[in-house]
Amino acid sequence: RSSYRDTMAAESTLALSLVEEFVSGLQDSKAKDAAKGVKDGKFTVLQLVEALGSSLTSSQPHTRARGVHLLSEVLQECYGDLTEREVEVLIAFYENRLKDHYVVTPPVLKGLKALTKCTNLPPGSAVSMLRSVFQDIHVQVRLSYCTFKLKGLGADFVFGFVQSMDGERDPRNLLLAFQIAKNLIHGGYDLGKFTEELFEVTSCYFPIDFSPPPNDPHGITREELVQALRAVLTGTPKFAEFLLPLLIEKLDSDVQSAKLDSLQTLVRNSCLAVCLQLKQELTGLWTSVRREVFQTSSEKIESAGLAALTALTSCLSRSVLSSDSEDSLSTFLDFILKDCKHHLCEPDLKLVWPSAKLLQAACSASTRASHIITVAVMPSLLEQYNNRTQCSHRRTLLEVVQRFIHSVKNYESVLLAFREALCSIVFSALSESNSSLQITATSVLTSLAQQAGLLVESDIELALDHLTRLLLTEEDDRVSLAVVECAGALAQLHPALVITKLIPKLKKEMFTGKLLKISRILSTGTHTSSVYLTWSSCSVNFSVDEVVLTCRSLQRIAERVQDSEEAGRCFHDVFIPHLLSLALQAFVSVFFFFVNAFDLFAQCRAYFLMRCVWLPFRLAGQTASRAVSLFLDGDVSFLPDNSFPSHMQLLKQEGDSWSLSRLVCLLMGSVCSLPRSVEVPQIDKLLSALEEMSCACSHPLSYTSAAKCFAGLVNKKPQGQFVSFIKTVSRVCSELDSPSSSVRTQAFTLMIWVRWKTRSVLFSFLKPCLSLCSLQLFSLLDDADLGPMAADGFSLLMSDSTDVLNRACHADVRIMYRQRFFSENSAKLVQGFNAAPQEKKPNYLKALSNIVNKLPKQVQVTELPALLSLLLEALSCPDQDIHLSTLSCLEPVLVNPPQVLIQQLEALINRLLALISSPAMSVRIASLSCISTLSHFPVLPFRARVLRALAKPLDDKKRLVRREAVQARGEWFLLGSPGGR
Amino acid sequence: MSEGTRLENANPVIFQRSGERVQTASEEDEDVHDPIDDREIFDILSINDPEHPLSLEELNVVEQVRVKVNDAENTVGVEFTPTIPHCSMATLIGLSIKVKLLRSLPDRFKIDVCITPGTHASEEAVNKQLADKERVAAALENASLLEVVNQCLSTRSI
């Protein structure tokens, strides 16, 4: 027994010491220890309370608070282990403590919160707990403790909540209060007799007028509050009877934001239907909405009003009728019609638009509403149109009609009755001479046609007749454009009719020059519809010129409609197969007649295909594999109008003829512009075929395209597939090395392109290949035939390719390539120049100036001094291109001349003065501008000579040259003269 | 010359500058011969006023309608309008215009610079001075006069 007592004593000492350390020693960690003690069963909670005794009865409120704090902390940890009896005691204790000093309150609330989590909460305790909370706590913070589920509390809780919320001003608490209110509503609490109170206490904040203070640390926005409040107000049908009058009242106020907020709340309110039976409220609402739309002061309010009207109407349409009640929808629509319809018939049509908008808003809500309104309004609109004679009135009416066509739901049943009348007014408008009326009519026609199944074939035919007439006779571009858009839409919807009716007539007129204009208009359209129209005109077999023209239009359209998924699909599904097929057909059937025209044609298409780089990813892959199987295996199955011999060998030589080879540029278009991640099938086979073709074919476009295509493919190839590539390089080199080879030009082209593409690739095992290429290029500068070509090749190497290897085609382009190439190769060039025989030197100079010219300016300025003597040499060689590119290199350097240049002034001035009588105007201008810049140098000794030389270009036959000369001579006159420099 | 003294017309009316000459396709064609025309001479004369940091065009001293050139007959006639009827700078302005044209036009042209009739008190005297070749040459021998002329002709970037 004594040992038991000892244990007791030990336990209470332990609890006591912990309490001591926490309360007086202010060691927060002791709370954890105490909780652990309770959990481990070393002492009970009640023992802890006993141990706390002295601190809880202390005269110091802070000590008391500290004591409660400890208890609350412990309870938070181990609320699960409490017995019902203990809970009861504790709750009684805490409720009592609520009456204590305010510093004690926070830990008390914390403890209460912990207690509510207890599983064995005695019945009724929650009620009493909350009651005391509501009774005693005046700090608004209490709201945050109300979030527990306490259905049993019911109306009492709601009442308590309402009381506590009343008069709240802090936005944080308000936000919380709204959320709680929402939970109350959605959680199915019995609002009981306090429904109105709850509505009152929340709705008094409506509309929210709150602008957060600057630097608000809580970051509560007006929008958040508005949304939260709206969720409460529209949360339950029970509020509806209070809400509607409130909304109407606010709508009638003068405050813009109140109006907007009310309307938006109205739109959100899905349970209005219940009380919309009340006729009076309906009238009130309608009057307010109508006033807002008629006397609209801001677009926002107007559109909110219209949306509210649509919401109301659709709500009414959904409401279930009881047998004895009247149909609230038709009653409501009757109001609307009564108020709006007569505006449509007023002579000056002043209120036509607002009325039409209101009617359309109601019309778009449901099929029934559409039906009622259309039947009531459409006849009078049509009659109006026929009675009016002024074009502007007629146009307005047409536009209104169009809006109705758009807003009508389930058009078939509704509009079908008016089909004939609608068509007849559209056609009569199309035959008017007023252009804006015609434009409106075309767009109405488009809307009608888009309602599938509305128009019958004869209507479309008639429409097409009208459109054809307008296309061929109309001078106004705007009308033509509108007609084209409309015809395009029709072509999309009724392709067969357009091809049989419209296109032949256009074709007949083709040679009158009108078609050029049409094609121009076609290509200005951005909508897919114009693509379709263009396409239909292309698919009827026209002459080559015609097809080329169409292709150009398509290309332009393709450029304009980039990034549109719809257009991408339409290009992929329809045009690309058709184009390939047409190209093949042309080659199979017509052969060499139009060889030149075909080159142009094929090229045009290749570029067109290139524009398809934006094709959606999946489609891109498909296009690639189709193109590859067509070119490699002769697989023509995906082409339309399939009448081709199977297994055509497009990449192989057929006897002597390479007639089909030109098509390779189509291949280039299809595969080289693909994203890198799209895998090209059979790439090795393709590459070797291309290599063969580019080395053996004799047709320039073909072998260039093949080489480009090869380069483009290799550029995209993943690392580690380069065995064949190395073979190719060695083959090219051997071809180039044998002076007797007949295909050196071709090989060279391939090499240049290969070198070009490899400029972007870094793999180390390719280095030998690359340097082999570069070496070959340098040695070719000495070559009698290919020397000039090689020099031009440097320019190609340094510039960006426009068709295959650029970033738009997803090629891998290395940065800083130009600088690197320059630093690696400039020394070699200078060496080669010095060693070369006199007649070969121009090649080196040309190569050098090609390279230097493409360098970024800041690099030029630092690199030039070393190359100066060579550049001066370049100025005296006979090639004008070299002059120009060298002068353009020199000019930026002259602004801040290096010392080397000063020493060479004599030579420089002599050469520049010689160039001012060059036959090329651009060279004259460039050299004069250099001379003008030179006047800032210490050049006084040359003054007289330069002034004399500059007299001549003052009388040059070109004005641009004279202008430059006047400038230069003026500068030199000032040199060394008083008042000058 | 006018340093330190009061400006005669410190607050002149400023006129809008005409825009840059629009470049035509034929001007870029190597084979076409562009004749020297009024506008070209007018553009040459966009020189500074000795008293103002403004060009003669902005002060309406030189207008394009008062520039007449005949490329075939090798004559250029420029009439300039002093900003005020008693402008003491009139001779200097005329001299600057003349010098600018001498430096900028081929030798073959005969250059005639005079005051727009009825716009200056001593119109005749000034015209006589400007037409006298020897007096112009002598004036340009004068270093301080040449200095002012050159100042007018240097392209200032204000």
Side-chain angles (χ1 to χ4, degrees):
Chain A
R1 180 170 179 131
S2 78
S3 73
Y4 173 72
R5 200 180 258 162
D6 287 349
T7 335
M8 285 274 290
E11 280 164 0
S12 45
T13 359
L14 177 63
L16 262 177
S17 72
L18 281 173
V19 167
E20 185 61 25
E21 279 165 36
F22 184 87
V23 177
S24 324
L26 296 177
Q27 294 179 35
D28 285 346
S29 62
K30 292 300 163 193
K32 279 244 160 54
D33 295 345
K36 195 163 177 291
V38 174
K39 265 195 182 155
D40 296 349
K42 287 198 183 123
F43 45 85
T44 64
V45 175
L46 293 183
Q47 274 175 327
L48 184 69
V49 176
E50 268 171 41
L52 275 167
S54 64
S55 21
L56 290 180
T57 52
S58 154
S59 58
Q60 288 297 317
H62 284 281
T63 316
R64 294 203 298 274
R66 196 71 192 159
V68 178
H69 188 181
L70 175 62
L71 186 59
S72 301
E73 290 278 320
V74 171
L75 284 180
Q76 262 183 342
E77 293 281 324
C78 45
Y79 54 85
D81 309 330
L82 298 174
T83 64
E84 202 174 308
R85 172 78 197 128
E86 281 173 327
V87 175
E88 218 177 305
V89 172
L90 283 168
I91 287 178
F93 165 74
Y94 272 116
E95 280 178 7
N96 194 287
R97 287 294 91 193
L98 276 172
K99 297 187 170 61
D100 200 345
H101 192 272
Y102 68 91
V103 292
V104 190
T105 311
V108 168
L109 287 174
K110 214 175 204 174
L112 276 175
K113 199 173 156 196
L115 282 175
T116 55
K117 293 183 203 155
C118 284
T119 42
N120 42 8
L121 204 60
S125 63
V127 182
S128 77
M129 206 152 76
L130 274 163
R131 197 166 290 145
S132 14
V133 168
F134 285 132
Q135 254 169 26
D136 299 315
I137 306 299
H138 304 285
V139 182
Q140 305 297 347
V141 174
R142 67 188 150 178
L143 284 171
S144 54
Y145 297 98
C146 300
T147 42
F148 14 98
K149 273 205 156 202
L150 294 165
K151 279 204 186 166
L153 204 54
D156 273 355
F157 176 73
V158 177
F159 180 66
F161 172 73
V162 167
Q163 273 196 326
S164 66
M165 195 184 150
D166 203 6
E168 180 58 69
R169 302 184 63 86
D170 188 321
R172 283 170 297 171
N173 289 341
L174 268 183
L175 197 57
L176 196 63
F178 292 149
Q179 273 154 9
I180 294 165
K182 190 176 130 202
N183 290 342
L184 281 178
I185 293 166
H186 289 291
Y189 283 79
D190 177 19
L191 299 181
K193 52 184 193 285
F194 298 110
T195 312
E196 188 167 359
E197 270 80 358
L198 184 60
F199 178 77
E200 285 297 323
V201 82
T202 44
S203 66
C204 67
Y205 295 101
F206 183 85
I208 298 274
D209 180 21
F210 168 67
S211 45
N215 322 321
D216 181 19
H218 312 297
I220 291 173
T221 62
R222 175 177 178 273
E223 197 50 31
E224 274 176 313
L225 286 169
V226 168
Q227 294 291 348
L229 178 58
R230 200 173 289 162
V232 174
L233 294 181
T234 61
T236 166
K238 288 182 191 142
F239 282 168
E241 57 173 315
F242 312 114
L243 180 60
L244 274 182
L246 175 74
L247 288 182
I248 293 172
E249 183 196 321
K250 294 296 172 194
L251 259 178
D252 296 345
S253 79
D254 289 332
V255 188
Q256 294 282 320
S257 64
K259 286 181 180 179
L260 191 62
D261 206 355
S262 319
L263 286 169
Q264 281 166 349
T265 309
L266 203 52
V267 175
R268 272 284 303 277
N269 201 342
S270 52
C271 24
L272 277 178
V274 186
C275 62
L276 282 179
Q277 314 284 356
L278 308 166
K279 200 173 161 191
Q280 205 179 349
E281 251 82 16
L282 266 183
T283 344
L285 261 182
W286 159 243
T287 324
S288 307
V289 169
R290 187 193 58 192
R291 191 197 52 236
E292 288 318 314
V293 176
F294 273 12
Q295 304 160 12
T296 178
S297 48
S298 90
E299 228 161 271
K300 247 182 175 171
I301 292 186
E302 187 190 306
S303 61
L306 292 174
L309 185 60
T310 310
L312 273 177
T313 317
S314 78
C315 207
L316 285 170
S317 314
R318 280 199 304 272
S319 66
V320 183
L321 297 181
S322 56
S323 56
D324 53 344
S325 71
E326 58 177 325
D327 179 0
S328 54
L329 175 67
S330 59
T331 326
F332 186 58
L333 290 181
D334 276 347
F335 291 144
I336 302 184
L337 283 170
K338 199 178 86 211
D339 284 344
C340 289
K341 199 178 153 192
H342 65 273
H343 287 306
L344 295 181
C345 312
E346 272 168 13
D348 53 353
L349 302 174
K350 227 194 283 171
L351 285 172
V352 164
W353 273 119
S355 318
K357 278 181 189 163
L358 283 168
L359 285 170
Q360 279 147 9
C363 190
S364 63
S366 71
T367 312
R368 261 182 74 212
S370 303
H371 202 267
I372 295 172
I373 291 187
T374 317
V375 169
V377 170
M378 205 52 106
S380 91
L381 275 178
L382 295 173
E383 190 198 322
Q384 282 288 309
Y385 181 86
N386 291 325
N387 291 343
R388 300 269 171 192
T389 47
Q390 267 191 34
C391 281
S392 60
H393 288 170
R394 286 187 154 192
R395 207 187 88 205
T396 313
L397 286 166
L398 261 187
E399 279 166 2
V400 171
V401 167
Q402 189 184 14
R403 292 278 291 263
F404 269 110
I405 294 173
H406 277 300
S407 59
V408 159
K409 287 231 164 162
N410 205 354
Y411 52 88
E412 278 181 44
S413 52
V414 183
L415 285 180
L416 219 50
F418 301 101
R419 177 184 66 80
E420 229 166 287
L422 282 172
C423 284
S424 86
I425 65 163
V426 167
F427 294 148
S428 87
L430 281 176
S431 352
E432 295 279 345
S433 58
N434 182 299
S435 61
S436 54
L437 195 56
Q438 285 170 330
I439 293 172
T440 315
T442 57
S443 75
V444 177
L445 184 59
T446 313
S447 319
L448 282 175
Q450 276 162 352
Q451 309 281 29
L454 179 62
L455 296 185
V456 296
E457 196 164 306
S458 59
D459 295 332
I460 307 269
E461 279 178 15
L462 204 56
L464 283 174
D465 284 345
H466 277 286
L467 293 179
T468 319
R469 182 181 53 76
L470 284 174
L471 267 181
L472 295 178
T473 56
E474 187 53 53
E475 294 298 329
D476 189 335
D477 273 358
R478 285 181 310 136
V479 178
S480 300
L481 188 60
V483 171
V484 166
E485 290 278 339
C486 179
L490 288 179
Q492 196 172 0
L493 298 161
H494 308 277
L497 277 176
V498 171
I499 288 178
T500 51
K501 294 283 292 180
L502 180 69
I503 303 294
K505 283 188 191 150
L506 289 183
K507 196 177 159 190
K508 231 190 283 171
E509 297 290 331
M510 173 168 90
F511 298 106
T512 59
K514 187 77 184 172
L515 205 82
L516 273 177
K517 186 181 152 204
I518 293 172
S519 142
R520 186 168 55 77
I521 298 168
L522 282 178
S523 58
T524 55
T526 53
H527 192 257
T528 337
S529 57
S530 48
V531 184
Y532 274 99
L533 189 60
T534 317
W535 179 247
S536 345
S537 66
C538 184
S539 55
V540 191
N541 278 321
F542 280 180
S543 72
V544 174
D545 288 344
E546 197 47 42
V547 180
V548 170
L549 206 62
T550 325
C551 282
R552 291 245 170 85
S553 301
L554 275 175
Q555 186 188 335
R556 255 170 287 166
I557 293 168
E559 278 163 20
R560 202 159 313 109
V561 298
Q562 283 189 11
D563 303 331
S564 129
E565 170 85 10
E566 183 200 358
R569 194 171 303 283
C570 132
F571 271 103
H572 172 263
D573 292 345
V574 188
F575 304 137
I576 294 177
H578 269 92
L579 279 176
L580 286 172
S581 148
L582 221 69
L584 278 178
Q585 246 170 11
F587 280 101
V588 173
S589 57
V590 199
F591 280 125
F592 294 109
F593 257 133
F594 302 109
V595 168
N596 287 329
F598 276 137
D599 279 351
L600 181 72
F601 177 36
Q603 227 165 7
C604 176
R605 285 187 179 179
Y607 289 125
F608 160 65
L609 287 177
M610 220 85 70
R611 302 301 163 210
C612 301
V613 287
W614 41 270
L615 275 180
F617 184 78
R618 189 176 55 73
L619 300 183
Q622 214 181 337
T623 310
S625 59
R626 276 178 177 182
V628 170
S629 66
L630 170 67
F631 278 89
L632 275 183
D633 312 330
D635 175 8
V636 289
S637 55
F638 76 96
L639 298 177
D641 310 330
N642 198 334
S643 59
F644 303 110
S646 57
H647 302 296
M648 291 185 300
Q649 295 289 308
L650 291 178
L651 295 179
K652 296 264 166 61
Q653 196 169 7
E654 281 177 29
D656 270 349
S657 104
W658 281 91
S659 57
L660 295 177
S661 64
R662 281 165 213 127
L663 287 172
V664 75
C665 64
L666 294 181
L667 177 67
M668 175 177 83
S670 324
V671 296
C672 287
S673 54
L674 298 170
R676 301 169 59 76
S677 43
V678 174
E679 187 136 357
V680 179
Q682 309 190 63
I683 189 160
D684 288 315
K685 203 173 155 199
L686 194 60
L687 282 179
S688 67
L690 284 170
E691 178 198 325
E692 181 59 37
M693 182 165 173
S694 62
C695 286
C697 179
S698 57
H699 183 263
L701 177 67
S702 305
Y703 67 70
T704 315
S705 302
K708 279 187 189 177
C709 189
F710 183 88
L713 282 174
V714 175
N715 181 283
K716 294 204 173 104
K717 230 172 136 177
Q719 186 171 1
Q721 290 184 10
F722 281 98
V723 188
S724 62
F725 171 61
I726 295 172
K727 264 208 306 247
T728 311
V729 172
S730 48
R731 171 175 172 191
V732 167
C733 291
S734 69
E735 291 280 7
L736 286 171
D737 282 341
S738 68
S740 59
S741 171
S742 58
V743 292
R744 291 181 74 209
T745 321
Q746 285 90 321
F748 173 75
T749 312
L750 178 59
M751 190 190 79
I752 274 290
W753 280 102
V754 164
R755 181 67 186 82
W756 199 101
K757 83 96 214 134
T758 46
R759 79 183 209 178
S760 57
V761 180
L762 255 174
F763 310 135
S764 56
F765 62 91
L766 278 179
K767 274 267 169 66
C769 275
L770 296 193
S771 40
L772 193 63
C773 274
S774 301
L775 266 183
Q776 195 74 45
L777 199 52
F778 281 110
S779 64
L780 279 177
L781 284 173
D782 280 335
D783 190 287
D785 306 324
L786 296 179
M789 240 177 113
D792 285 336
F794 278 98
S795 158
L796 181 65
L797 277 182
M798 296 295 281
S799 56
D800 285 318
S801 155
T802 49
D803 45 6
V804 212
L805 295 157
N806 55 31
R807 283 180 210 276
C809 289
H810 308 282
D812 182 4
V813 180
R814 210 169 136 204
I815 53 162
M816 304 282 281
Y817 166 76
R818 297 190 179 90
Q819 287 91 312
R820 227 183 305 247
F821 188 83
F822 173 77
S823 58
E824 279 166 16
N825 297 311
S826 63
K828 253 185 270 176
L829 269 179
V830 177
Q831 238 171 26
F833 171 80
N834 292 332
Q838 194 54 45
E839 70 276 11
K840 301 283 163 52
K841 283 191 194 253
N843 287 343
Y844 283 92
L845 291 173
K846 199 169 179 187
L848 183 70
S849 81
N850 275 335
I851 296 175
V852 174
N853 205 18
K854 295 276 161 45
L855 285 176
K857 286 278 177 257
Q858 55 276 43
V859 182
Q860 277 186 0
V861 172
T862 54
E863 296 293 344
L864 266 188
L867 299 170
L868 197 65
S869 58
L870 219 55
L871 288 176
L872 288 180
E873 199 70 37
L875 284 182
S876 49
C877 84
D879 192 317
Q880 288 170 11
D881 292 341
I882 304 182
H883 292 159
L884 197 60
S885 73
T886 315
L887 285 172
S888 67
C889 301
L890 269 177
E891 214 186 330
V893 187
L894 292 182
V895 176
N896 201 359
Q899 198 54 41
V900 205
L901 195 62
I902 307 279
Q903 288 155 9
Q904 309 241 24
L905 270 180
E906 172 85 38
L908 181 60
I909 288 180
N910 282 340
R911 298 212 158 91
L912 288 176
L913 289 181
L915 285 182
I916 58 179
S917 43
S918 156
M921 166 169 122
S922 46
V923 174
R924 297 203 293 275
I925 293 176
S927 62
L928 282 169
S929 127
C930 284
I931 291 172
S932 172
T933 323
L934 271 182
S935 69
H936 298 270
F937 289 23
V939 281
L940 197 52
F942 305 103
R943 183 173 185 258
R945 183 146 63 97
V946 171
L947 283 179
R948 228 175 304 126
L950 285 180
K952 200 179 151 233
L954 288 181
D955 211 3
D956 197 281
K957 69 174 179 175
K958 299 307 296 172
R959 184 170 296 127
L960 298 173
V961 178
R962 293 199 293 266
R963 190 158 73 190
E964 213 54 59
V966 165
Q967 164 78 14
R969 199 157 189 256
E971 293 291 329
W972 278 80
F973 255 112
L974 294 176
L975 194 69
S977 176
R981 276 192 297 271
Chain B
M1 231 182 158
S2 58
E3 294 293 308
T5 60
R6 272 188 72 233
L7 294 175
E8 281 183 359
N9 184 9
N11 195 13
V13 184
I14 298 175
F15 291 80
Q16 173 85 50
R17 299 185 62 139
S18 53
E20 286 274 304
R21 182 179 192 140
V22 183
Q23 204 161 318
T24 62
S26 70
E27 282 178 27
E28 283 162 23
D29 186 343
E30 294 266 6
D31 304 322
V32 178
H33 182 278
D34 311 322
I36 297 180
D37 61 11
D38 296 351
R39 174 68 201 246
E40 190 173 339
I41 303 293
F42 179 68
D43 282 341
I44 290 174
L45 291 179
S46 62
I47 54 183
N48 301 308
D49 183 278
E51 283 197 330
H52 296 287
L54 293 165
S55 74
L56 295 184
E57 179 189 357
E58 282 163 313
L59 294 167
N60 214 29
V61 172
V62 182
E63 294 163 274
Q64 196 180 331
V65 288
R66 304 196 187 284
V67 176
K68 292 277 172 279
V69 63
N70 189 331
D71 197 15
E73 290 170 16
N74 300 331
T75 56
V76 172
V78 176
E79 287 179 347
F80 67 100
T81 316
T83 49
I84 45 175
H86 295 283
C87 181
S88 64
M89 293 288 158
T91 324
L92 191 59
I93 293 173
L95 188 62
S96 298
I97 292 174
K98 184 125 191 177
V99 170
K100 178 71 180 179
L101 290 177
L102 283 171
R103 289 177 182 179
S104 309
L105 287 177
D107 296 341
R108 62 188 167 93
F109 280 98
K110 180 183 181 301
I111 297 161
D112 180 28
V113 177
C114 57
I115 293 183
T116 313
T119 58
H120 198 264
S122 43
E123 182 185 322
E124 236 168 88
V126 176
N127 284 348
K128 212 169 172 187
Q129 280 188 24
L130 288 173
D132 191 334
K133 261 188 198 171
E134 278 171 23
R135 289 184 76 168
V136 170
L140 293 179
E141 297 285 311
N142 180 337
S144 60
L145 207 50
L146 183 62
E147 188 181 340
V148 180
V149 170
N150 275 337
Q151 269 165 7
C152 296
L153 300 188
S154 40
T155 42
R156 258 188 269 167
S157 51
I158 297 170

